[in-house]
Amino acid sequence: MTAPQPADTAARLTGLVRALRGHGLRIGPAETVDAAAVLDVLGFTDRERMRAGLAAALLRSEGQRTVFDAAFDLFFPLGVGTPEAVRADPPPVPDDPEPPRFGRPDPLREQLRDRLAAALAADDRAAQARLAGEVVEAFGRYGTGGSPGTGGWSAQQALGRLAPETLLARVLAALREGQGTPDLSDLVLADEIRRRIRDFRALTAGEARRRVAELRGPERIAERAVAPTPDQVDFLYAGRDQLAELRRTVHPLARKLATRLAARRRRAARGEIDLRRTLRRSLSTGGVPLRPAYRLRRPARPELVLLCDVSGSVAGFADFTMLLVQAMSEQFSKVRVFAFVNRTAEVTGLLRGGDDPARLAARILAEAEVTGYHGNSDYGSALGGFAEHHLDAVGPRTCVLVLGDARNNQRDPNLEALRRIAARARRVFWLNPEQPSLWPTGDSAALAYAGVVEMHSCRNARRLGELIARLLPV
């Protein structure tokens, strides 16, 4: 990587810091100064060492590394423009200039596939990086004949033409032939090849992202094309892999929240100033010095009841929250969890089973009676069932958290049942994974429920942690 000019270096570093802050990473002036010192010491000769040094200076947890790596590649790319390998040794152009039609082989595509199969079999990362540039150059360009500023580069388009996943059998055969003896099973080899193909796809995506950043600016691409950290992934739109990553953050987040709640409990135990005792204590000194006396409190740990919608896309939100609260159970004198789709059932025992967290929602749907005569959400029936059969779980020390999007499929919201729960509980909070602008739309009864209890938008794990630390009583 060629060393940029000092002014350009400062602009790239500050741009990188702004992009990381935009994705929720907390980076202050001190960390930025440390990163500048890292660049001054390490220089630009070894790009991977520079990457590691900047990550050590700017990041606070390993979970932030994915966001950092994607943003780093935009602001400190390996090269600028078309890769040198593509310019110096362009792929041969077939004699027949007619574009390939359906059923007709594409010589360039077949040549790239052959080279990629060889690079995957040899696990040659340098060759795969060169091929990623060539593939994007050959198949990734779009919009070149349209209006100015509409063109760009698409990794999805390029990979769709190349179809690297279909090379699995060819690479597997090459690896087994190279082994001579079958030391590894086909299953293990196939998993290894899939990993290499995933890595090549990531290289291709990074190359396309770098080229688009040159066209439209790295700041804009960093804002739109860099995946957020797991704690900022929207619950409603999280995929399977993102939900799995979220579940891995449950225990670290639970420890952090437990520390905050314990600190709040210590402060609350001191109580308010007792004016009468303070004046009596100060009579002997004439009020100088004034030694305040406090009404000492003996706060008991509160009870917590979760009432969770486990239907549809809301299930990921409820699943994560149930696991988080279970991990924090020592902070409460009692925790009880109820799930519903249109019937309410207690699932506290299922959370204590210690099974794979990824199977929690499936176990609840399979083993608990959370659905009745249909499979759609019915908050009115669920709240009514809880108020009728489980209201003894709520008392004057109980905080109730209702988790759900309040989309009631045009049925009766049964506000009276929610009022009965609120009248009996210490506090009731409703956490809604939808943004507030969607609450008045469609079949949502969110505004009606918000008129009875306090409702908060809770779209990701970071927001959930903030609400739990701030709202739950101590």
Side-chain angles (χ1 to χ4, degrees):
M1 178 177 177
T2 305
Q5 297 298 319
D8 187 37
T9 301
R12 289 177 182 273
L13 178 59
T14 55
L16 173 63
V17 170
R18 280 196 298 270
L20 295 177
R21 286 175 177 169
H23 282 278
L25 276 65
R26 297 177 180 175
I27 301 174
E31 288 84 358
T32 307
V33 172
D34 290 344
V38 166
L39 289 178
D40 186 49
V41 172
L42 297 182
F44 295 84
T45 56
D46 189 334
R47 182 167 176 266
E48 291 309 310
R49 186 172 67 168
M50 180 178 69
R51 182 199 298 267
L54 288 178
L58 296 174
L59 305 185
R60 299 187 181 186
S61 69
E62 185 62 30
Q64 301 170 341
R65 186 60 189 261
T66 303
V67 173
F68 170 83
D69 284 339
F72 175 86
D73 289 336
L74 295 177
F75 289 92
F76 293 91
L78 182 61
V80 178
T82 303
E84 189 68 28
V86 178
R87 294 197 302 267
D89 186 19
V93 179
D95 295 333
D96 185 0
E98 183 181 354
R101 296 190 296 268
F102 178 76
R104 181 176 179 179
D106 181 352
L108 174 57
R109 175 179 180 272
E110 294 306 315
Q111 183 218 44
L112 289 173
R113 281 170 59 83
D114 292 341
R115 292 170 57 198
L116 177 59
L120 291 172
D123 199 17
D124 187 342
R125 294 281 296 181
Q128 292 174 36
R130 290 193 297 270
L131 278 166
E134 295 183 34
V135 169
V136 172
E137 178 74 18
F139 305 131
R141 188 189 296 270
Y142 66 88
T144 54
S147 304
T150 60
W153 304 90
S154 169
Q156 184 176 4
Q157 175 178 300
L159 291 168
R161 287 285 304 278
L162 190 68
E165 290 81 4
T166 61
L167 296 173
L168 176 63
R170 190 190 305 185
V171 179
L172 179 61
L175 284 177
R176 292 197 64 80
E177 182 180 353
Q179 277 183 222
T181 57
D183 295 332
L184 296 175
S185 69
D186 286 348
L187 183 60
V188 174
L189 282 176
D191 287 343
E192 172 62 17
I193 296 167
R194 291 189 185 96
R195 181 194 64 78
R196 296 178 188 182
I197 292 174
R198 286 196 301 270
D199 291 345
F200 175 75
R201 293 182 67 91
L203 289 172
T204 307
E207 174 65 20
R209 202 161 45 231
R210 177 190 67 79
R211 293 181 181 223
V212 176
E214 289 181 12
L215 291 176
R216 302 193 177 127
E219 292 84 1
R220 183 179 179 185
I221 303 306
E223 178 183 355
R224 300 186 179 186
V226 175
T229 53
D231 64 345
Q232 287 198 306
V233 173
D234 198 315
F235 286 121
L236 294 183
Y237 306 110
R240 180 181 301 176
D241 293 340
Q242 292 172 317
L243 287 175
E245 184 66 28
L246 267 178
R247 294 186 189 101
R248 286 193 284 271
T249 67
V250 163
H251 289 285
L253 179 59
R255 287 194 296 269
K256 183 185 297 185
L257 294 178
T259 301
R260 292 180 182 176
L261 290 177
R264 284 182 56 201
R265 189 173 291 114
R266 286 194 298 271
R267 291 193 298 269
R270 192 171 185 182
E272 300 177 350
I273 291 180
D274 186 329
L275 183 59
R276 179 177 297 179
R277 289 178 55 218
T278 299
L279 293 175
R280 186 181 299 115
R281 178 184 291 181
S282 303
L283 289 176
S284 61
T285 61
V288 181
L290 182 67
R291 294 179 298 167
Y294 294 90
R295 296 188 180 95
L296 297 181
R297 293 179 56 197
R298 297 290 185 269
R301 295 189 177 189
E303 300 174 358
L304 185 63
V305 167
L306 259 65
L307 190 55
C308 313
D309 181 1
V310 294
S311 64
S313 60
V314 187
F317 168 49
D319 178 15
F320 179 79
T321 308
M322 286 188 285
L323 291 172
L324 178 63
V325 168
Q326 181 62 27
M328 296 175 56
S329 59
E330 293 183 357
Q331 298 300 312
F332 306 96
S333 60
K334 183 186 297 184
V335 175
R336 296 182 68 178
V337 182
F338 298 84
F340 68 88
V341 174
N342 47 61
R343 281 186 178 177
T344 303
E346 184 167 7
V347 296
T348 310
L350 294 179
L351 267 71
R352 295 171 182 163
D355 290 341
D356 180 8
R359 297 180 58 248
L360 176 59
R363 284 195 64 198
I364 290 175
L365 291 174
E367 300 180 25
E369 295 184 6
V370 294
T371 57
Y373 54 90
H374 60 83
N376 299 323
S377 295
D378 186 343
Y379 283 79
S381 295
L383 291 171
F386 181 85
E388 182 177 353
H389 302 293
H390 305 288
L391 200 58
D392 59 340
V394 181
R397 292 170 47 198
T398 305
C399 179
V400 178
L401 289 183
V402 184
L403 313 177
D405 58 5
R407 295 206 168 269
N408 203 35
N409 294 292
Q410 307 296 344
R411 293 181 169 86
D412 178 17
N414 198 355
L415 300 181
E416 184 57 36
L418 185 59
R419 291 191 184 98
R420 289 179 60 193
I421 298 170
R424 189 177 176 91
R426 178 178 178 181
R427 298 294 299 274
V428 178
F429 300 106
W430 191 304
L431 305 186
N432 192 327
E434 288 191 337
Q435 54 187 335
S437 61
L438 297 177
W439 293 357
T441 64
D443 59 352
S444 175
L447 294 183
Y449 289 128
V452 179
V453 298
E454 192 173 331
M455 183 174 289
H456 297 269
S457 177
C458 184
R459 300 175 59 190
N460 54 52
R462 174 172 293 188
R463 175 64 172 164
L464 176 62
E466 293 172 352
L467 289 172
I468 287 179
R470 179 167 59 89
L471 297 178
L472 291 188
V474 294

